[in-house]
Amino acid sequence: MKLSNADKRLLDALQQDATRPQADLAEIAGMSRTSAWRRIRDFEQSGLIQGQVALLDPQKAGFHIQVLLAVAMTEHTDENRRSFEDHIDGLSAVTECFTVAGERDYVLHVVVPDMETYTDFLQSEILKHPAVRSASSTFVLQRVKYTTMLPLSG
């Protein structure tokens, strides 16, 4: 999708705070309120805007352990991939899942309240899955940067 400079300003403002009044968004983008509303609707219908959410602090929400979990598959078949991805999709502790190139096949971002919960999760939900050959955990010590904002304006 080709974005104009006004579109980028509008999207940047939405990424910073999606609760801003439409009049403010229109002013920031340099367009009328009607044009801003229409563009936002177009972005939603095209799938560029996928939703609006509240971003929570994991620590304050009681999730004191964050893990980057690298998983290697037993075989690289479509059936294994679908089975594993369907399984992961149903696990609320997994907030993100990426297929990757290299020694491992997937990297998962996992959030849990404590180490006991993580151990149970790893053993019962990951290592027992028939498509999983092995897994390696990297524990997050401190989140240095976190943003969901895409760099549209450079």
Side-chain angles (χ1 to χ4, degrees):
M1 172 179 272
K2 182 78 172 153
L3 298 174
S4 69
N5 288 336
D7 289 339
K8 290 177 184 178
R9 288 191 301 271
L10 177 60
L11 290 166
D12 278 343
L14 283 168
Q15 288 186 102
Q16 290 169 12
D17 182 0
T19 65
R20 281 187 176 155
Q22 207 156 39
D24 292 354
L25 293 170
E27 184 178 331
I28 290 167
M31 56 179 67
S32 71
R33 287 177 65 182
T34 303
S35 294
W37 176 82
R38 195 173 299 125
R39 290 304 290 154
I40 292 168
R41 189 187 66 207
D42 292 345
F43 296 146
E44 290 170 341
Q45 290 175 347
S46 72
L48 177 61
I49 295 177
Q50 296 179 339
Q52 296 180 18
V53 300
L55 301 175
L56 305 182
D57 181 311
Q59 291 285 326
K60 291 179 181 174
F63 297 97
H64 303 289
I65 304 289
Q66 292 189 58
V67 184
L68 301 176
L69 177 59
V71 177
M73 307 304 287
T74 56
E75 295 180 272
H76 297 96
T77 64
D78 287 343
E79 183 180 332
N80 265 6
R81 181 185 52 77
R82 273 192 300 275
S83 171
F84 182 72
E85 290 176 7
D86 287 348
H87 178 65
I88 291 303
D89 192 44
L91 300 175
S92 61
V94 178
T95 60
E96 296 182 88
C97 176
F98 303 93
T99 57
V100 295
E103 291 182 28
R104 303 297 176 146
D105 301 301
Y106 291 91
V107 173
L108 285 59
H109 179 245
V110 179
V111 294
V112 291
D114 53 50
M115 188 58 81
E116 181 180 347
T117 303
Y118 180 69
T119 301
D120 291 344
F121 169 83
L122 179 63
Q123 291 175 350
S124 65
E125 299 293 349
I126 302 300
L127 295 176
K128 285 188 179 176
H129 191 281
V132 173
R133 181 187 57 181
S134 64
S136 174
S137 303
T138 301
F139 293 90
V140 173
L141 299 177
Q142 178 183 7
R143 182 167 68 184
V144 176
K145 179 179 179 180
Y146 174 72
T147 184
T148 60
M149 191 168 172
L150 298 177
L152 297 177
S153 298

